[in-house]
């Protein structure tokens, strides 16, 4: 009996060592790689969806980092912010640009709208503790480690299948996502993001990005009020956070040539837009 217990203990120890070794050699996410080579907080960071790529720190004197992600959800935006704080990427005085997309308040944490593609949360396995991964699965964690050398398996998470296979336009896809899941829960997570940044003595800035007239006209004022602005006001009322709203800003909306599609800037325009954004913050003090 004692030998049996010893053998089982040894087997479990070997499994644990293999698991930890595989986790150590797995491909690291961008934020993990940066944290390994960084010893001071950034001046500014960006979290949110792909619309956060409209903020570009190139050709500026801002020491900034984009931690946003295509199709990101507010749950994992919160986890990313927490990770950044814990690893000293975000500190006192860091400006946290929180890019809140029209569809943000309706997205569930693990993007089940992309079913049967269930890879959205893959990149967080290993990066985050199990308790911070929505619906954590040990078997999935193990399977990801087994395939860790196939980096494309992890990178599947940026799939845009929900647009290509179900909808004919980004506007239709985003309207669907905006009402896909629990808006009250997503509002709470956005509140948690702002509150955590403030507790950390960082400066949270909520931003509604400019889009083309084609994109904005697909979302009526009434739709925006009930699906977007009501939630933003609730956050502002609770935290006093700054909200910068570019909806209807004809400096951008009237210029289709500024955009590579209906809702993302071309790279050169994102640089100029970011310079204007920094100027606005400077004027605000």
């Amino acid at each position: 009996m004692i030998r049996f217990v010893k053998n089982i203990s040894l087997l479990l120890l070997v499994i644990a060592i293999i698991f930890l070794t595989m986790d150590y050699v797995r491909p690291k996410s961008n934020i993990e790689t940066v944290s390994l080579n960084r010893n001071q907080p950034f001046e500014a960071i960006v979290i949110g969806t792909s619309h956060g790529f409209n903020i570009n720190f190139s050709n500026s004197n801002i020491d900034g980092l984009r931690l946003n992600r295509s199709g990101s959800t507010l749950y994992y935006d919160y986890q990313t912010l927490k990770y950044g704080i814990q690893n000293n990427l975000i500190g006192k005085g860091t400006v946290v640009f929180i890019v809140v997309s029209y569809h943000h308040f309706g997205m569930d944490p693990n993007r089940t709208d992309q079913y049967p593609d269930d890879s959205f949360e893959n990149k967080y396995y290993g990066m985050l503790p199990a308790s911070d991964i929505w619906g954590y699965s040990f078997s999935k964690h193990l399977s990801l480690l087994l395939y860790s050398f196939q980096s494309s398996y992890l990178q599947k998470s940026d799939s845009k299948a929900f647009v290509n296979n179900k909808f004919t336009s980004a506007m239709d896809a985003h309207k669907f996502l905006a009402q896909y899941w629990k808006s009250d829960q997503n509002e709470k997570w956005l509140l948690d993001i702002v509150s955590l940044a403030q507790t950390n003595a960082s400066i949270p800035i909520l931003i509604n990005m400019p889009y083309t007239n084609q994109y904005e006209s697909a979302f009526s004022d009434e739709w925006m009020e009930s699906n977007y602005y009501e939630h933003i006001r609730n956050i502002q009322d609770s935290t006093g956070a700054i909200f910068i709203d570019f909806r209807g800003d004809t400096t951008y909306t009237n210029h289709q040539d500024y955009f590579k599609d209906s809702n993302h800037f071309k790279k050169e325009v994102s640089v100029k837009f970011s310079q204007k954004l920094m100027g606005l913050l400077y004027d605000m003090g």
Side-chain angles (χ1 to χ4, degrees):
M1 180 66 180
I2 294 176
R3 176 173 291 184
F4 174 77
V5 172
K6 287 183 177 179
N7 288 339
I8 292 296
S9 299
L10 180 60
L11 177 61
L12 292 174
L13 177 61
V14 170
I15 292 173
I17 292 173
I18 293 174
F19 189 89
L20 291 173
T21 301
M22 292 170 64
D23 188 57
Y24 179 78
V25 300
R26 68 179 170 79
K28 301 297 188 291
S29 64
N30 177 52
I31 188 173
E32 290 177 282
T33 302
V34 172
S35 66
L36 291 172
N37 300 286
R38 181 85 180 185
N39 57 14
Q40 64 181 11
F42 285 90
E43 293 178 328
I45 63 107
V46 181
I47 59 174
T49 65
S50 61
H51 295 143
F53 292 122
N54 287 344
I55 298 177
N56 192 325
F57 298 113
S58 302
N59 302 319
S60 76
N61 59 358
I62 301 295
D63 181 21
L65 177 67
R66 294 190 299 202
L67 296 177
N68 59 298
R69 178 189 180 194
S70 296
S72 183
T73 63
L74 285 166
Y75 177 79
Y76 283 113
D77 288 339
Y78 173 74
Q79 301 302 339
T80 297
L81 177 67
K82 185 167 69 170
Y83 182 95
I85 291 173
Q86 292 171 342
N87 288 274
N88 199 37
L89 301 179
I90 303 166
K92 181 179 180 180
T94 299
V95 176
V96 181
F97 292 111
I98 308 165
V99 178
V100 188
S101 301
Y102 290 0
H103 52 288
H104 238 145
F105 293 106
M107 299 170 71
D108 79 302
N110 287 349
R111 294 300 308 277
T112 58
D113 62 281
Q114 294 186 351
Y115 180 83
D117 180 353
D118 66 347
S119 62
F120 176 79
E121 69 273 19
N122 287 4
K123 68 174 287 183
Y124 302 108
Y125 277 80
M127 170 184 156
L128 300 176
S131 59
D132 289 345
I133 297 175
W134 188 267
Y136 174 83
S137 165
F138 177 79
S139 61
K140 180 169 187 175
H141 195 170
L142 183 60
S143 69
L144 287 171
L145 291 176
L146 290 172
Y147 289 98
S148 62
F149 293 106
Q150 299 180 16
S151 59
S152 60
Y153 182 76
L154 297 177
Q155 293 168 358
K156 274 178 60 184
S157 57
D158 284 333
S159 166
K160 296 181 180 178
F162 74 97
V163 174
N164 296 333
N165 295 342
K166 298 179 181 178
F167 301 97
T168 58
S169 72
M171 292 81 81
D172 290 341
H174 293 170
K175 275 191 172 181
F176 168 78
L177 288 174
Q179 297 175 316
Y180 180 78
W181 206 65
K182 306 171 185 177
S183 61
D184 56 340
Q185 180 62 68
N186 276 304
E187 182 184 303
K188 179 185 179 301
W189 284 328
L190 181 56
L191 175 62
D192 290 343
I193 290 170
V194 173
S195 299
L196 178 60
Q198 291 176 332
T199 300
N200 190 57
S202 303
I203 306 169
I205 307 290
L206 301 167
I207 301 180
N208 181 19
M209 284 292 177
Y211 307 113
T212 61
N213 275 328
Q214 176 194 15
Y215 185 88
E216 289 193 355
S217 63
F219 302 87
S220 68
D221 291 343
E222 292 77 16
W223 189 96
M224 288 293 296
E225 176 59 30
S226 60
N227 292 281
Y228 188 84
Y229 286 123
E230 180 178 334
H231 300 299
I232 295 292
R233 278 198 306 274
N234 290 340
I235 301 300
Q236 285 189 287
D237 290 345
S238 297
T239 65
I242 296 171
F243 174 51
I244 302 178
D245 188 4
F246 287 99
R247 178 173 168 84
D249 187 336
T250 56
T251 305
Y252 304 100
T253 58
N254 288 345
H255 294 273
Q256 178 70 49
D257 57 313
Y258 287 1
F259 296 82
K260 61 182 180 180
D261 55 27
S262 64
N263 57 119
H264 298 92
F265 281 141
K266 293 177 179 177
K267 182 177 180 180
E268 61 273 19
V269 178
S270 70
V271 173
K272 294 180 180 179
F273 169 78
S274 300
Q275 292 170 346
K276 177 179 178 179
L277 180 61
M278 301 304 171
L280 284 174
L281 293 180
Y282 180 81
D283 292 341
M284 290 178 182

